[in-house]
Amino acid sequence: QVQLVESGGGLVQAGGSLTLSCEASGRIFSLYAMGWFRQGPGKEREFVAAISWSGGNTYYADSGKGRFTISRDNAKNTVYMQMNSLKFEDTAVYYCAADRTMGVPRLEGAYDYWGQGTQVTVSS
């Protein structure tokens, strides 16, 4: 089992920045690829970004390219997502997820473990 706890969400004005954190406990964190997903009001959950177990590979959805940066610190069992130039449409509950794979998975169904989510609200 892997337990994931997100933090760092909040209310921010459009154009502002936030950094989300996701701390893992349980199994060996460094064996897992990590992803961030989000679910906006009235929308389905969607992929945002993912990072490989080593941190050497990352992948972003078009919505976050150039604005979001995913990173990880395996010594701290934590994955981060720096979000800059936030837009109103970035408002969502953000979830982190873990998948024991060598790749950089983008599909929701590939992930085995999920956090409870953290709310990000961007005011226009």
Side-chain angles (χ1 to χ4, degrees):
Q1 288 285 338
V2 175
Q3 293 79 41
L4 303 172
V5 179
E6 303 96 334
S7 61
L11 175 64
V12 63
Q13 288 188 330
S17 299
L18 280 176
T19 299
L20 305 183
S21 300
C22 173
E23 184 173 359
S25 60
R27 298 296 182 111
I28 302 174
F29 177 71
S30 59
L31 295 178
Y32 289 80
M34 300 297 296
W36 285 99
F37 290 75
R38 68 185 184 185
Q39 187 168 18
K43 299 180 181 178
E44 294 187 351
R45 190 155 57 184
E46 63 179 1
F47 171 79
V48 178
I51 188 166
S52 63
W53 66 273
S54 67
N57 292 299
T58 58
Y59 191 87
Y60 296 91
D62 289 344
S63 59
K65 283 181 181 176
R67 300 188 299 126
F68 296 175
T69 302
I70 189 171
S71 62
R72 67 189 295 160
D73 185 340
N74 286 346
K76 295 183 178 179
N77 288 356
T78 302
V79 62
Y80 306 95
M81 188 161 70
Q82 172 72 37
M83 304 188 296
N84 298 324
S85 303
L86 283 162
K87 306 174 182 179
F88 175 75
E89 50 265 40
D90 293 319
T91 295
V93 177
Y94 284 72
Y95 299 89
C96 70
D99 178 25
R100 186 167 179 175
T101 180
M102 298 295 287
V104 188
R106 286 156 273 176
L107 297 178
E108 184 174 341
Y111 287 85
D112 302 310
Y113 302 101
W114 293 83
Q116 293 298 307
T118 186
Q119 176 71 48
V120 172
T121 303
V122 184
S123 61
S124 58

